[in-house]
Amino acid sequence: MATLGAMGAPSGFVDLRSDTVTRPTPEMRRAMAEAEVGDDGFGEDPTVTELEVVYAERVGKAAALFVPSGTMANQVALRVLAAAGTAVVAGRRQHLVAYEFGAAARNAGIQFHTVDDEGGRFGPQDVTNALELAEYHQPSVSLVCIENTHMAAGGVPWALDELRALRAAAGDLPIHMDGARLFNAEVATGASAAAMAAVSTTVMTCLSKGLCAPVGSVLAGPEALIAAGRVERKRLGGAMRQAGVIAAAGLVALRTMVDRLVQDHARARRLAEAVAERWPSLGVDPAEIATNIVVFAPPDARGVVEHLGAHGVLADMTAPGTVRLVTHHDVDDDGIERALLAISKAP
Ligand SMILES: *Cc1c(COP(=O)(O)O)cnc(C)c1O
């Protein structure tokens, strides 16, 4: 029988709830132990500074800021890009709309103008329409936010031409890219992270998901905005001290964990094949699974999650009736085989 292990990780389970369950690799643990550190409050932690420089270069921005979480990266971006009382255009199922517990209202005082993001993206016309609303007694738009890859839609990456069309429609408006899984998009589409991020003013990425670092995200953008973001991070309580201990793992993540994401993507496609076979009517098309997330809505979602759990496979639910399976570094081919078998026998 699978049990909760001494480290808190459910040993014996194939854990497909999220890629956040990944644990730091041995190389990360070594880098953490040996990290050079200082007080980042004085700008004196060389490892944090190095991580910020490496990420900024990787996404083609002038500067970057290390923050404790992806949520804080999004919140800092909202605070530096969107004035209180303005509208922010975003897909209705994006993380910063639906999964941050109202933080955008509380921290940034903004109101979302949400648009349909069923397929993970939205179009230039959605932005144009939102901009026009200011002429009809509605709040003016200060910012557009996109999610790449889009989690709730099933890890959907934006294509470069879609991003560029949105950029054109946004005119002078800034765009913030929630690239929590930007490198999954890079590996899946072949477009570089920098080319994708070029359409946005700011971009953030989680180091703590498929890239396996234990903690931390990075927000990049122009020098002055990142300097303002540093103040907002302090206000949110996210300024850290000898954070080089965790930034060291983030450096290993950026340098060594991106290329292997292709394995997670291949495994997610196998899961999607099993889902499509078990529930042919749900419309899950394995060919459309581009990255590491499979979402589907079986007739009895809770029953499916319970059944999988009873067979040693952990799944999550992200909305009523919606099951999510996420592949990652800590699930190997044997784990996938177990999951495939459990899916085939699901009620
Ligand atoms: C996980 C996630 C975040 C937030 O990251 P945390 O580190 O969990 O706060 C933001 N956006 C997306 C798309 C995510 O998947």
Side-chain angles (χ1 to χ4, degrees), residues 69-71 74 95 100 147 151 178 180-181 204 206 209 217:
S69 68
T71 300
N74 282 339
H95 197 280
E100 296 184 7
E147 192 171 300
M151 183 276 285
D178 175 345
R181 297 183 180 84
M204 80 84 161
C206 294
K209 292 190 168 161
S217 293

Side-chain angles (χ1 to χ4, degrees), residues 112-329:
F112 280 114
H113 172 88
T114 56
V115 299
D116 183 31
D117 58 355
E118 243 358 88
R121 293 93 81 215
F122 51 87
Q125 194 60 45
D126 293 311
V127 175
T128 311
N129 292 349
L131 288 173
E132 216 178 289
L133 292 174
E135 293 167 29
Y136 300 91
H137 319 289
Q138 299 193 25
S140 65
V141 173
S142 56
L143 173 68
V144 177
C145 292
I146 59 181
E147 192 171 300
N148 189 22
T149 66
H150 191 294
M151 183 276 285
V156 177
W158 284 67
L160 209 46
D161 56 352
E162 294 171 334
L163 290 170
R164 289 176 176 157
L166 204 78
R167 173 69 273 163
D172 294 336
L173 281 185
I175 294 178
H176 168 63
M177 184 181 290
D178 175 345
R181 297 183 180 84
L182 182 65
F183 295 106
N184 293 86
E186 181 180 82
V187 166
T189 65
S192 73
M196 290 185 281
V199 307
S200 68
T201 309
T202 52
V203 58
M204 80 84 161
T205 299
C206 294
L207 303 168
S208 56
K209 292 190 168 161
L211 300 184
C212 298
V215 182
S217 293
V218 220
L219 173 72
E223 202 86 58
L225 274 177
I226 295 303
R230 223 167 266 285
V231 176
E232 296 303 336
R233 182 184 66 174
K234 181 80 181 175
R235 289 187 173 132
L236 290 167
M240 299 177 281
R241 299 299 177 184
Q242 286 73 27
V245 170
I246 51 176
L251 278 165
V252 176
L254 286 178
R255 286 175 175 147
T256 71
M257 301 303 283
V258 172
D259 291 345
R260 63 152 305 283
L261 292 173
V262 69
Q263 298 172 21
D264 298 344
H265 300 176
R267 288 173 178 143
R269 190 166 288 195
R270 294 181 65 201
L271 292 176
E273 283 163 5
V275 169
E277 197 161 309
R278 172 61 194 83
W279 296 280
S281 64
L282 296 183
V284 173
D285 180 359
E288 281 177 10
I289 302 302
T291 66
N292 67 327
I293 302 175
V294 181
V295 292
F296 57 103
D300 176 13
R302 274 186 204 288
V304 169
V305 171
E306 276 168 26
H307 160 86
L308 294 177
H311 288 76
V313 177
L314 300 177
D316 194 22
M317 287 179 66
T318 51
T322 307
V323 179
R324 182 180 75 167
L325 306 173
V326 186
T327 57
H328 52 79
H329 176 263

Side-chain angles (χ1 to χ4, degrees), residues 1-25:
M1 186 61 209
T3 53
L4 280 182
M7 310 275 287
S11 64
F13 281 103
V14 179
D15 197 346
L16 301 174
R17 288 173 302 171
S18 175
D19 45 9
T20 56
V21 303
T22 45
R23 280 151 297 182
T25 63

